[in-house]
Amino acid sequence: MIVLTSLVVLFAGFWLAFALVGALLKLVFGIIGGVFHIVASLVGALVGGVLMLAVAPVVALALLPVLIPVAFVVGLVWLIARATRKPDVVVMPAPR
């Protein structure tokens, strides 16, 4: 019975020790992975921003055939609205 109890205690001790080592490794690799994640996201944001700046003129040129008629309609509406507007009322100060 003493041998069986000592084997159970030894097994439980090994179990707790390896669980502690596993938790410590999980914490360490989680911190290392978090640092790599932050660095990779910053590098990705930098590369993505530079690529967006490089691609923006190409996209603007590609959308030019769509934007020219839209700009024409907007300009026409602006001209009609401006032509039908009443002149501004100017209030002159009373002479003293």
Side-chain angles (χ1 to χ4, degrees), residues 7-8 20 34 40 48 56 68 78 96:
L7 285 176
V8 168
L20 181 64
I68 288 175
W78 180 76
R96 292 186 182 193

Side-chain angles (χ1 to χ4, degrees), residues 1-10:
M1 195 68 174
I2 294 175
V3 173
L4 185 61
T5 304
S6 60
L7 285 176
V8 168
V9 168
L10 187 65

Side-chain angles (χ1 to χ4, degrees), residues 84-95:
T84 59
R85 196 173 73 173
K86 294 180 182 176
D88 293 334
V89 177
V90 178
V91 177
M92 299 294 291

Side-chain angles (χ1 to χ4, degrees), residues 73-87:
V73 170
V74 167
L76 188 63
V77 168
W78 180 76
L79 282 173
I80 292 171
R82 186 162 172 84
T84 59
R85 196 173 73 173
K86 294 180 182 176

Side-chain angles (χ1 to χ4, degrees), residues 64-76:
L64 199 57
V66 176
L67 294 178
I68 288 175
V70 171
F72 178 72
V73 170
V74 167
L76 188 63

Side-chain angles (χ1 to χ4, degrees), residues 11-89:
F11 178 73
F14 277 131
W15 190 353
L16 288 174
F18 286 126
L20 181 64
V21 169
L24 186 64
L25 285 174
K26 190 172 185 177
L27 177 68
V28 167
F29 283 117
I31 290 172
I32 291 171
V35 169
F36 277 125
H37 176 76
I38 290 171
V39 170
S41 66
L42 291 175
V43 170
L46 178 69
V47 170
V50 169
L51 287 178
M52 289 294 254
L53 286 175
V55 170
V58 176
V59 171
L61 286 175
L63 290 175
L64 199 57
V66 176
L67 294 178
I68 288 175
V70 171
F72 178 72
V73 170
V74 167
L76 188 63
V77 168
W78 180 76
L79 282 173
I80 292 171
R82 186 162 172 84
T84 59
R85 196 173 73 173
K86 294 180 182 176
D88 293 334
V89 177

